[in-house]
Amino acid sequence: MRLTFTLFLFFCSHFSNAQSIKSPDSFLGYKLGSYYTEHYKVFNYFNSLANEASDKIIVKKYGETNERKSLIYAIISTPENIKNIEEIRKNSMRLSGELSDKPAVLNMPTIVWLSYNVHGNEASSTETALKVAYELVGGKNENINNWLKNTVVIIDPCLNPDGRDRYVHWFNGQLGAKSQPTLMAREHDEPWPSGRFNHYYFDLNRDWAWQTQVETQQRIKIYNEWMPTIHCDFHEQYINNPYYFAPAAEPFHEAITPFQRSFQNEIGKNHAKYFDQNGWLYFTREIFDLFYPSYGDTYPTFNGSVGMTYEQAGHTQSGLSVVTNEDTLTLYDRIAHHFTTSISTIEVAAQNAEKINTSFKKYFEDQTTNGSGIYKSYILSGSNKHKLNELIMLLDKNQIKYGYAKEGISIKGFNYIDSKEKSYKTSNSDLVISTYQPKGALVNVLFEPNSKLADSVTYDITAWSLPYVYGLDAYAVKEKIAIDNLSKANSTGFVNPSTNSYAYLLAYKSFNDSKLLASLLNVGIKVRYAESPFTIAGKNFDRGTLIVLKHGNEEKINAMMELVKNFNADVTPVPTGFMESGFDFGSEKIHLIKKKNIAIVVGENTSATAVGEVWHLFDKELSYALTLINPNEISNLKNGDVDVLIFVDGEYKMLSDKESSLKNWVRDGGKIIALENAVKQMSTGEWGIKMKKDPESAENKESNYSDLKRYELRERDNVSFNTPGAIYKVELDDSHPLAFGYNSNYFSLKMNNVVYEFLKEGWNVGVIKKDGLVAGYVGKNTKPSIKDGTVFGVQSFGKGTVVYFADDIIFRSFWQNGKQMFANAVFLVD
């Protein structure tokens, strides 16, 4: 591709005589853009810059990945600013209202944060980061020197080292003496699971707010210590797409301010000036919206920044060079484009530093003074301490302030479970979160019952309200509620073992209790559960209560007590197995929980992110062994080797076969847990579950007028058939072990329009009835089909069992309330 890199060459020409500082080319031993750079070399180069120009750049390690690769960021500015860097950082905290030791100064440097390579196989970004760092630190260009007087630039050169190295090592291993630009070449066909994702196959660009992954957790902690005013997230898209930069597409979340909108235009116009000079194609205001709150553009935006996404053509197909519809796209081209928007962003920020700081300060003052959104306070019931604690952990990660309600305050607000206004009297164990705080906008976005969607053509899910995600009874209130800021520490249920105890009873009401169960099984403790409620010593216990008999566990009671203490669990010692009401502990209604050997089917044709959710759940949360197996191993299954086999979203021919060795394995006592499209395929394979027919299907239509469509409305017409992520109310049979720990309702994130006919031979544990939509967008042509059907079911199959989940109940690992149900499917359902 022959291009006139006006800005690119202008800057490069002024840095060719840069003192003794090594360029990336000199340090690496190859021309930047001719080869992909491994992460350890990126790490070494940034440290080299810090050693050679310590007056201009500071490099800090902020954490490690799952594969123990270093996560770093570089702070770059003028020598004068670097000497004063801690005061500049604190000033940004004062602007954001997080530090109140003295007034903020508006004419201090503004902070620009550049994030590169969150998707590992969008690999030009890190190469660009090397060049941007060198040009900022090593050159003598007066324009850049002047811009740095008004800015501090923070560069995170690679947000996802594990994924990027997976791609880079694979690609470099395919590379011959020369790159093969033809698209059919193997180097353009990256294998499963791809380098896009981190070690556990998570998309880190969907994790900013939820912080389920170690990379995100460590990054956000540092981000909140700097509070940048401008944030840019660098990406790549399909090879034939022109470059995308802000302003973003609709829908914008209504919490985004007029300044945040308008300043995107200023930056975009500056980019366009340089792209026009070079004749480079670009587009704005399309595809990439600002609605879902957990992206690298929206999360900074809801934290006061002007957050933007930049998208370069490239992606996994591009390699070092690839033939496109019009030309040949090279890695050199991709670096040039990203370099241009990087420098252009710094230029605009420097020219408007005081204006940006002023708006940034006003953003937080408005929230602290006026609150954010229609609802000013959110009250979350303290009746389930462990579920509430799970939410508190997320609030702490996001530095959201909270307190506890005063006892007995009468309020009226929107009740999340019933979706209507109700009266409520507070308890002093209830959590209260106010939008009258610096993070008020973020609180509003994360908690509002139903976010207003200005345009149905959106890029991601449309509902995520945290009370539904965490399964908490909650109220949204339009007034400011008095808060007792004294933390109510939840007392432990731990007791010292009693020598005359017959058994120990453990409450089973949250995922925390599922984690305790997994740990008990791991150390060989025999655990039972009660199928029905019972009463002993005047105390009532719910179905699902875990029972550890002293007999058979004599040598492990101390180990049990240590685990109970670690999990802050509720434990009750009892002296007898004779119940006042309900079934005695020797009844067949008291079930022994067997330790299971669990496997998940992975590989080509499975969703890598769906696999990763389950892998991460077992590896990092349950701490329970999970074996990843390829599909060709299924024919070799033997009972005992694997007790539970998990099929996540994907394509599996074996599930639609009328007869197979897999069916024989289940008939002999195996258990399948199937999710999403795996269930859909089983509905065609005579397993006993059937998809519900769409009431709007062609054979049910009286006319074909709906087929008459306007070409210009094709995108919007397609959306009318979509369910991009909406919350539905599911009615549960809470007497079934799959639903133990839950009440009669569950809120599920639906990403499809699939429900199933009620099982005639099995248990319809979770069903959607009429008017089940609670929050989010569902296409008008899809909505009629999502009702009167099963979404969670259990069925006997010979001696074995099949558990059906039509939805992804642990979506992106942030859908917290589904995790206990998944654990139930593994440990309790037989």
Side-chain angles (χ1 to χ4, degrees):
M1 180 179 286
R2 297 182 61 84
L3 300 169
T4 309
F5 298 160
T6 306
L7 177 69
F8 184 68
L9 293 177
F10 170 75
F11 287 126
C12 292
S13 66
H14 284 75
F15 289 113
S16 57
N17 297 316
Q19 299 178 358
S20 62
I21 296 173
K22 286 186 177 180
S23 68
D25 296 4
S26 175
F27 183 87
L28 298 170
Y30 53 84
K31 187 176 181 181
L32 199 64
S34 66
Y35 195 74
Y36 283 116
T37 307
E38 294 97 327
H39 184 70
Y40 79 92
K41 293 180 181 178
V42 175
F43 176 82
N44 289 342
Y45 180 68
F46 270 86
N47 281 317
S48 173
L49 285 179
N51 289 332
E52 294 174 346
S54 59
D55 60 333
K56 295 181 180 180
I57 177 172
I58 300 169
V59 175
K60 292 189 176 184
K61 179 178 175 179
Y62 68 85
E64 288 187 347
T65 68
N66 290 289
E67 297 174 14
R68 296 179 175 83
K69 295 182 176 70
S70 294
L71 294 163
I72 61 170
Y73 68 106
I75 308 158
I76 302 173
S77 195
T78 63
E80 293 75 19
N81 287 339
I82 291 296
K83 288 178 182 178
N84 197 34
I85 196 64
E86 180 60 13
E87 185 60 24
I88 293 172
R89 184 191 70 80
K90 287 183 176 179
N91 191 63
S92 192
M93 298 295 286
R94 295 178 190 117
L95 291 171
S96 68
E98 296 292 347
L99 187 62
S100 57
D101 57 337
K102 63 182 181 180
V105 179
L106 298 176
N107 63 357
M108 287 188 80
T110 201
I111 298 175
V112 178
W113 188 301
L114 307 178
S115 291
Y116 296 96
N117 235 136
V118 68
H119 292 147
N121 59 7
E122 297 173 9
S124 71
S125 295
T126 292
E127 309 294 333
T128 304
L130 295 170
K131 179 162 190 61
V132 171
Y134 171 67
E135 306 293 18
L136 294 179
V137 171
K140 297 180 180 180
N141 181 274
E142 284 305 311
N143 284 330
I144 286 203
N145 289 338
N146 287 331
W147 297 338
L148 289 178
K149 290 178 183 178
N150 294 328
T151 58
V152 169
V153 179
I154 295 178
I155 294 176
D156 188 333
C158 187
L159 280 66
N160 182 10
D162 291 349
R164 188 175 193 275
D165 265 4
R166 187 187 306 132
Y167 172 75
V168 168
H169 292 155
W170 170 81
F171 179 84
N172 289 345
Q174 315 309 309
L175 193 62
K178 292 184 179 180
S179 173
Q180 298 294 317
T182 178
L183 199 54
M184 72 175 67
R186 183 176 64 168
E187 64 197 62
H188 302 295
D189 187 16
E190 184 186 9
W192 190 93
S194 89
R196 177 182 178 89
F197 312 115
N198 78 341
H199 176 82
Y200 284 102
Y201 309 160
F202 274 71
D203 186 332
L204 294 179
N205 194 41
R206 272 73 176 169
D207 193 48
W208 282 73
W210 319 132
Q211 299 180 52
T212 69
Q213 298 302 291
V214 65
E215 296 93 340
T216 317
Q217 293 163 9
Q218 295 169 111
R219 177 180 1 104
I220 298 300
K221 182 179 179 181
I222 297 300
Y223 184 96
N224 278 317
E225 291 176 3
W226 285 90
M227 292 302 290
T229 59
I230 303 288
H231 182 267
C232 304
D233 193 23
F234 290 83
H235 289 263
E236 291 191 300
Q237 52 186 328
Y238 295 110
I239 58 174
N240 289 305
N241 289 3
Y243 197 99
Y244 164 82
F245 50 73
E250 290 287 351
F252 280 61
H253 193 283
E254 60 184 347
I256 297 172
T257 67
F259 175 81
Q260 289 173 317
R261 288 172 176 256
S262 64
F263 201 73
Q264 286 201 357
N265 281 317
E266 289 193 43
I267 292 176
K269 287 177 181 177
N270 204 60
H271 297 343
K273 175 181 68 177
Y274 294 117
F275 274 61
D276 289 345
Q277 289 172 8
N278 285 285
W280 297 339
L281 288 175
Y282 57 90
F283 68 98
T284 64
R285 302 184 182 90
E286 294 182 80
I287 302 176
F288 304 103
D289 59 68
L290 291 175
F291 192 65
Y292 173 70
S294 199
Y295 281 131
D297 52 11
T298 50
Y299 183 82
T301 297
F302 299 136
N303 280 277
S305 179
V306 177
M308 295 166 291
T309 290
Y310 296 155
E311 295 268 355
Q312 161 63 39
H315 212 252
T316 179
Q317 288 186 309
S318 54
L320 294 179
S321 63
V322 64
V323 175
T324 66
N325 288 342
E326 296 189 20
D327 209 331
T328 299
L329 176 68
T330 69
L331 181 54
Y332 299 113
D333 303 328
R334 293 151 63 197
I335 294 171
H337 300 161
H338 267 337
F339 173 79
T340 299
T341 53
S342 299
I343 298 298
S344 174
T345 300
I346 297 167
E347 176 187 8
V348 179
Q351 293 169 349
N352 296 274
E354 187 167 344
K355 176 182 175 182
I356 294 168
N357 287 345
T358 300
S359 176
F360 191 67
K361 183 172 183 286
K362 183 177 184 300
Y363 179 91
F364 294 101
E365 287 178 342
D366 286 347
Q367 293 173 61
T368 303
T369 304
N370 304 316
S372 178
I374 297 173
Y375 298 107
K376 305 301 183 184
S377 302
Y378 297 93
I379 302 174
L380 297 106
S381 170
S383 60
N384 190 316
K385 68 176 184 181
H386 290 303
K387 284 190 176 183
L388 193 63
N389 285 342
E390 288 167 354
L391 176 63
I392 288 172
M393 289 172 63
L394 181 69
L395 299 179
D396 288 341
K397 289 175 184 176
N398 285 289
Q399 297 189 7
I400 291 172
K401 297 178 175 66
Y402 54 86
Y404 290 83
K406 295 183 180 297
E407 183 74 29
I409 297 177
S410 296
I411 60 101
K412 187 172 185 179
F414 176 87
N415 178 258
Y416 285 77
I417 291 178
D418 295 329
S419 297
K420 63 182 181 182
E421 293 283 319
K422 289 180 66 175
S423 296
Y424 177 71
K425 186 165 286 189
T426 60
S427 163
N428 63 8
S429 63
D430 294 342
L431 196 73
V432 180
I433 307 164
S434 171
T435 65
Y436 290 88
Q437 62 169 298
K439 300 280 187 177
L442 184 62
V443 171
N444 172 39
V445 171
L446 296 182
F447 281 87
E448 61 185 346
N450 199 355
S451 299
K452 183 179 178 181
L453 190 64
D455 191 326
S456 56
V457 181
T458 185
Y459 198 66
D460 211 285
I461 65 172
T462 60
W464 52 79
S465 183
L466 291 182
Y468 298 125
V469 172
Y470 282 79
L472 289 164
D473 193 10
Y475 290 82
V477 182
K478 295 180 179 179
E479 296 81 30
K480 188 175 182 179
I481 301 298
I483 293 177
D484 179 356
N485 284 312
L486 295 175
S487 175
K488 301 290 190 300
N490 287 315
S491 60
T492 179
F494 176 74
V495 296
N496 288 319
S498 173
T499 55
N500 63 349
S501 294
Y502 177 84
Y504 301 88
L505 308 183
L506 305 170
Y508 192 75
K509 297 180 179 180
S510 69
F511 182 56
N512 183 75
D513 301 322
S514 301
K515 292 192 287 186
L516 171 60
L517 170 59
S519 296
L520 292 171
L521 295 174
N522 277 336
V523 298
I525 293 174
K526 296 174 184 177
V527 186
R528 291 166 167 80
Y529 74 82
E531 179 182 314
S532 303
F534 60 92
T535 303
I536 185 170
K539 185 175 180 181
N540 297 324
F541 293 87
D542 292 334
R543 56 173 57 90
T545 296
L546 303 180
I547 303 164
V548 177
L549 300 179
K550 183 177 180 181
H551 180 70
N553 290 303
E554 291 90 348
E555 302 300 319
K556 297 179 179 178
I557 293 299
N558 288 336
M560 182 200 73
M561 287 299 176
E562 189 63 29
L563 288 171
V564 166
K565 184 177 181 180
N566 291 344
F567 285 94
N568 191 25
D570 295 318
V571 59
T572 303
V574 293
T576 179
F578 186 84
M579 300 300 103
E580 294 171 14
S581 67
F583 298 100
D584 298 332
F585 290 164
S587 168
E588 65 178 10
K589 301 297 177 65
I590 306 297
H591 302 265
L592 179 66
I593 302 171
K594 298 177 181 178
K595 187 175 182 181
K596 307 291 198 303
N597 295 321
I598 308 165
I600 181 173
V601 182
V602 307
E604 296 291 344
N605 300 320
T606 65
S607 164
T609 53
V611 168
E613 291 164 4
V614 177
W615 185 17
H616 184 268
L617 181 77
F618 280 88
D619 227 24
K620 291 295 187 179
E621 298 190 77
L622 288 170
S623 298
Y624 195 93
L626 175 73
T627 302
L628 281 63
I629 66 172
N630 291 319
N632 59 4
E633 295 294 331
I634 291 177
S635 60
N636 300 320
L637 282 181
K638 296 178 182 178
N639 282 335
D641 293 341
V642 174
D643 303 306
V644 181
L645 190 59
I646 300 168
F647 290 87
V648 297
D649 194 30
E651 298 288 338
Y652 310 90
K653 181 180 180 299
M654 69 197 77
L655 293 180
S656 56
D657 289 342
K658 307 303 180 187
E659 280 300 326
S660 65
S661 60
L662 178 63
K663 281 188 173 178
N664 291 332
W665 174 79
V666 179
R667 289 189 184 104
D668 289 341
K671 177 163 62 179
I672 284 177
I673 299 173
L675 296 95
E676 297 187 276
N677 197 52
V679 181
K680 189 175 181 181
Q681 289 166 83
M682 294 178 83
S683 72
T684 67
E686 298 184 0
W687 288 87
I689 191 167
K690 295 181 180 179
M691 276 186 63
K692 191 175 181 190
K693 186 178 292 186
D694 182 355
E696 299 296 317
S697 60
E699 60 266 31
N700 293 335
K701 292 180 181 178
E702 295 181 2
S703 70
N704 291 321
Y705 290 152
S706 62
D707 295 331
L708 303 177
K709 301 174 182 177
R710 287 185 61 82
Y711 179 77
E712 66 179 344
L713 298 177
R714 61 193 182 280
E715 185 178 19
R716 200 160 300 283
D717 286 340
N718 288 336
V719 169
S720 70
F721 290 93
N722 287 349
T723 308
I727 298 173
Y728 271 78
K729 189 174 188 177
V730 177
E731 295 190 19
L732 293 180
D733 173 5
D734 59 1
S735 71
H736 193 281
L738 185 64
F740 283 176
Y742 294 85
N743 296 318
S744 59
N745 295 309
Y746 175 87
F747 295 92
S748 189
L749 183 70
K750 283 207 71 64
M751 307 286 291
N752 55 54
N753 66 336
V754 178
V755 295
Y756 293 88
E757 293 181 6
F758 297 136
L759 292 169
K760 295 179 181 178
E761 296 182 2
W763 304 103
N764 300 284
V765 182
V767 300
I768 295 176
K769 296 183 178 178
K770 293 179 176 61
D771 301 321
L773 179 62
V774 170
Y777 173 79
V778 178
K780 65 179 181 180
N781 292 315
T782 296
K783 192 174 181 180
S785 63
I786 309 177
K787 63 180 181 181
D788 297 329
T790 292
V791 287
F792 309 147
V794 177
Q795 178 184 357
S796 296
F797 197 86
K799 297 178 182 177
T801 307
V802 182
V803 180
Y804 302 108
F805 291 119
D807 303 330
D808 183 355
I809 62 170
I810 56 172
F811 180 71
R812 292 179 184 165
S813 196
F814 92 88
W815 207 266
Q816 190 70 21
N817 200 33
K819 293 177 181 178
Q820 184 176 20
M821 192 176 296
F822 201 104
N824 290 351
V826 172
F827 297 120
L828 304 188
V829 175
D830 285 314

